[in-house]
């Protein structure tokens, strides 16, 4: 199993002298040194990128998720020594790599940009941030020619949050297109979550080690009705750890941004977080709730850090390794699919309370939504302009990708989506001004990229 899951799609790679790193240490290095990872420093996390130098960006969020992920991995190795050798690498390089890379497919302006690109690509295979992450690491990032970062199979499996193609997940009924782009209602155009059909070859290679039964079960999905996209049901062990790290970083660490910058107040926090926590029959929660509000909203930063650290530690140490075959009467043969990291019921309820608070009082507040809507418009108009005359408007590297796709009768619109998705918030805004505001004195240096 070790040889199969550490193998790479492209095998003819340069040999490095005296390189004693494990496959996952090499994967982490490729991610850390990639342009896609660096661009996360100017992509919106929760608060708007560039509005305040305190706010977390997708880069700092990914670094925090990586640290949390290594804590999860260490906890599970210690808790389950009888399974440790079979399931976990000897160090934390794999989980750190996954957490560092998990957001690199997100376009500029957060979910507003994702919805915008999905709408513009609705007739060309769609767009989705996790699918774009898979595409970047396996095809686009120029570590190799045509194979992206050429990561190991197990690392790719860990990044595969939704192991099915968008075409097999999209709803049977599609909303009617608005009369103009400014009328697009975001809630109607959320993408299904999966991989692009354009990347089916890589997906098939990735899943080759699975037997037919495991593959069919792993790729199974369920839809609420014909108006809703189907959702995949399973993820790998490594992916489950990465998602928990992501959720903890989002629900706990991102809350710090909102508190310190005054976006949320103590009264709302008491009503919507502390009171629900006190209703949970858990002695530790009862104890921490006595001082939680005072510490988080204190003017002394060390008290905030003490409270944040206690919450993160509580969640990390509560995580369990669950045998899905026993819990759900399944029949996974592959151990990487059979086991998942999960929070027990009480701890999961705690995290849901924090995530719900951040969503309601930060993400959904009008000021944030207005910024997201503006970004949505910028992305759609950029895509519309670039696709009107790609040979004229695309920079050379993107134009070559577009021409190559045209020559091979492939999905050339995907090359435009790849280019727009790669932009940082500032770069997209600057290009928008260059194209649509001729009186502005914006730099034209982007033409040299």
């Amino acid at each position: 199993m070790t040889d199969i899951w550490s193998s790479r799609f492209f095998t003819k790679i340069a040999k490095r002298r005296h390189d004693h790193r494990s496959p996952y240490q090499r994967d982490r290095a490729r991610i850390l040194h990639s342009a896609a990872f660096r661009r996360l420093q100017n992509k919106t996390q929760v608060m708007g990128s560039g509005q305040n130098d305190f706010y977390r960006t997708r880069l700092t969020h990914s670094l925090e998720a990586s640290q949390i992920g290594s804590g999860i991995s260490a906890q599970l190795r210690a808790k389950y020594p009888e399974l440790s050798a079979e399931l976990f690498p000897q160090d934390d390089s794999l989980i750190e790599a996954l957490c560092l890379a998990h957001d690199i497919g997100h376009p500029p302006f957060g979910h507003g940009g994702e919805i915008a690109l999905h709408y513009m690509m609705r007739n060309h295979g769609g767009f989705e941030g996790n699918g774009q992450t898979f595409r970047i690491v396996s095809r686009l990032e120029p570590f190799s020619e045509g194979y992206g970062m050429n990561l190991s199979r197990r690392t790719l499996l860990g990044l595969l949050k939704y192991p099915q193609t968008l075409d097999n997940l999209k709803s049977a009924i599609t909303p009617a297109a608005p009369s103009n782009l400014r009328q697009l209602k975001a809630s109607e155009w959320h993408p299904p979550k999966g991989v692009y059909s354009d990347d089916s070859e890589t997906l098939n290679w990735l899943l080759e080690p699975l037997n037919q039964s495991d593959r069919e079960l792993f790729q199974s999905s369920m839809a609420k009705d014909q108006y809703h996209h189907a959702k995949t049901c399973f993820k790998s062990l490594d992916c489950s750890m990465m998602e928990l790290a992501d959720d903890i970083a989002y629900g706990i660490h991102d809350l710090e941004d909102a508190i310190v910058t005054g976006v949320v107040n103590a009264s709302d926090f008491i009503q919507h977080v502390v009171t629900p926590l006190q209703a949970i029959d858990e002695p530790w929660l009862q104890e921490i709730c006595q001082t939680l509000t005072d510490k988080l909203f204190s003017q002394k930063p060390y008290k905030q850090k003490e409270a944040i650290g206690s919450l993160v530690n509580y969640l990390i140490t509560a995580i369990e390794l669950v045998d899905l075959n026993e819990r759900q009467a399944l029949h996974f043969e592959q151990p990487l699919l059979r086991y998942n990291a999960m929070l027990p019921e009480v701890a999961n309820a705690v995290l849901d309370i924090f995530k719900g608070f951040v969503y309601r009082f930060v993400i959904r507040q009008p000021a944030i939504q207005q910024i997201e809507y503006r970004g949505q418009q910028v992305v759609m108009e950029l895509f519309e302009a670039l696709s009107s005359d790609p040979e004229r408007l695309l920079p050379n590297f993107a134009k070559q990708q577009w021409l190559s796709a045209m020559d091979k009768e492939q999905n050339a619109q995907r090359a435009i989506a790849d280019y727009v998705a790669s932009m940082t918030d500032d770069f997209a805004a600057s290009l928008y001004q260059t194209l649509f505001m001729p009186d502005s004195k914006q730099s034209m240096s982007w033409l040299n990229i």
Side-chain angles (χ1 to χ4, degrees):
M1 185 182 80
T2 301
D3 290 340
I4 291 174
W5 292 106
S6 63
S7 62
R8 303 177 189 275
F9 192 93
F10 182 60
T11 57
K12 296 180 180 179
I13 55 176
K15 300 294 183 182
R16 304 289 171 85
R17 243 182 120 221
H18 307 308
D19 189 349
H20 301 295
R21 295 174 298 170
S22 72
Y24 309 121
Q25 288 173 326
R26 291 197 291 272
D27 288 348
R28 182 182 58 185
R30 294 177 190 185
I31 291 163
L32 194 60
H33 293 288
S34 67
F37 180 73
R38 290 195 299 276
R39 291 189 187 105
L40 294 177
Q41 67 187 303
N42 192 221
K43 290 195 177 186
T44 297
Q45 172 58 13
V46 173
M47 316 294 283
S49 174
Q51 289 179 280
N52 186 306
D53 61 6
F54 178 84
Y55 294 164
R56 286 163 168 83
T57 64
R58 286 202 181 271
L59 180 69
T60 56
H61 162 76
S62 298
L63 292 170
E64 287 177 331
S66 178
Q67 186 274 328
I68 293 170
S70 65
I72 293 171
S73 179
Q75 284 287 329
L76 292 179
R77 283 200 302 268
K79 278 185 179 181
Y80 304 94
E82 72 281 4
L83 292 172
S84 181
E86 179 182 16
L87 296 178
F88 301 106
Q90 293 181 348
D91 61 38
D92 297 326
S93 300
L94 173 61
I95 186 63
E96 289 174 355
L98 298 179
C99 293
L100 290 172
H102 80 281
D103 266 354
I104 62 175
H106 278 265
F109 307 113
H111 291 291
E114 181 181 47
I115 288 167
L117 279 174
H118 176 60
Y119 176 74
M120 302 307 289
M121 289 290 290
R122 65 193 183 280
N123 297 322
H124 305 282
F127 179 91
E128 197 269 329
N130 298 287
Q132 191 68 15
T133 293
F134 187 80
R135 182 171 175 81
I136 287 171
V137 299
S138 62
R139 292 190 65 173
L140 299 180
E141 184 65 28
F143 175 84
S144 65
E145 187 175 0
Y147 301 95
M149 299 180 195
N150 195 34
L151 302 178
S152 64
R153 188 181 250 125
R154 182 165 175 175
T155 301
L156 282 179
L157 185 70
L159 288 171
L160 189 67
K161 293 175 70 172
Y162 311 101
Q164 186 55 271
T165 59
L166 299 191
D167 289 347
N168 289 324
L169 297 170
K170 65 182 181 181
S171 60
I173 297 178
T174 302
S179 56
N180 63 71
L181 297 181
R182 296 196 175 183
Q183 297 297 314
L184 184 74
K185 191 172 182 180
S187 60
E188 296 179 351
W189 289 95
H190 286 288
K193 294 181 179 296
V195 176
Y196 308 139
S197 294
D198 297 323
D199 298 319
S200 293
E201 181 184 7
T202 310
L203 178 62
N204 290 332
W205 171 83
L206 171 59
L207 301 181
E208 269 182 10
L210 304 180
N211 63 36
Q212 188 66 24
S213 176
D214 273 9
R215 177 165 178 169
E216 289 178 0
L217 183 58
F218 185 51
Q219 292 193 283
S220 62
S221 61
M222 295 181 65
K224 183 178 179 181
D225 54 46
Q226 60 185 344
Y227 298 97
H228 290 80
H229 301 308
K231 296 181 179 180
T232 55
C233 303
F234 302 104
K235 57 184 66 68
S236 70
L237 166 64
D238 303 319
C239 185
S240 70
M241 291 193 292
M242 177 263 285
E243 282 206 305
L244 283 171
D246 184 22
D247 284 349
I248 293 170
Y250 162 76
I252 307 299
H253 282 299
D254 289 354
L255 174 64
E256 183 182 7
D257 284 358
I259 291 173
V260 173
T261 54
V263 172
V264 298
N265 59 60
S267 176
D268 286 335
F269 183 79
I270 291 171
Q271 180 180 352
H272 297 280
V273 176
V274 175
T275 300
L277 289 178
Q278 289 175 326
I280 298 175
D281 185 16
E282 168 70 60
W284 183 85
L285 290 175
Q286 303 298 324
E287 179 182 349
I288 196 174
C289 281
Q290 296 176 16
T291 59
L292 183 60
T293 304
D294 289 341
K295 286 183 177 180
L296 286 177
F297 288 84
S298 171
Q299 296 303 307
K300 298 179 179 179
Y302 73 88
K303 289 190 174 183
Q304 294 172 339
K305 294 297 183 184
E306 180 185 334
I308 292 290
S310 295
L311 290 168
V312 171
N313 181 72
Y314 164 74
L315 293 168
I316 289 176
T317 55
I319 292 171
E320 301 173 340
L321 195 61
V322 173
D323 185 338
L324 299 181
N325 287 358
E326 292 183 2
R327 176 171 291 193
Q328 301 182 29
L330 301 175
H331 300 284
F332 278 124
E333 182 177 310
Q334 171 53 244
L336 294 179
L337 305 185
R338 175 177 176 176
Y339 294 94
N340 268 195
M342 293 184 182
L343 282 169
E345 185 177 354
V346 171
N348 190 61
V350 171
L351 182 55
D352 281 346
I353 289 170
F354 280 96
K355 287 168 58 182
F357 183 76
V358 172
Y359 181 77
R360 178 177 176 182
F361 288 91
V362 182
I363 292 177
R364 294 305 300 174
Q365 69 160 302
I368 298 296
Q369 287 301 304
Q370 288 165 7
I371 293 171
E372 190 172 285
Y373 172 83
R374 182 180 65 188
Q376 178 181 308
Q377 299 305 310
V378 168
V379 169
M380 287 191 293
E381 292 191 41
L382 284 178
F383 189 100
E384 185 177 52
L386 294 170
S387 61
S388 70
D389 195 347
E391 290 189 75
R392 178 186 180 194
L393 298 176
L394 287 176
N396 287 333
F397 77 92
K399 179 167 64 177
Q400 292 305 314
Q401 292 172 348
W402 182 84
L403 289 170
S404 176
M406 291 290 290
D407 289 343
K408 297 175 182 177
E409 298 184 349
Q410 295 174 344
N411 185 6
Q413 293 296 93
R414 182 65 64 194
I416 300 173
D418 289 340
Y419 175 54
V420 176
S422 72
M423 297 177 183
T424 63
D425 294 13
D426 284 351
F427 184 85
S430 176
L431 180 55
Y432 181 90
Q433 289 186 319
T434 299
L435 291 175
F436 302 114
M437 299 178 183
D439 293 333
S440 68
K441 297 181 180 179
Q442 295 293 314
S443 169
M444 300 292 281
S445 61
W446 68 277
L447 291 171
N448 296 321
I449 295 177

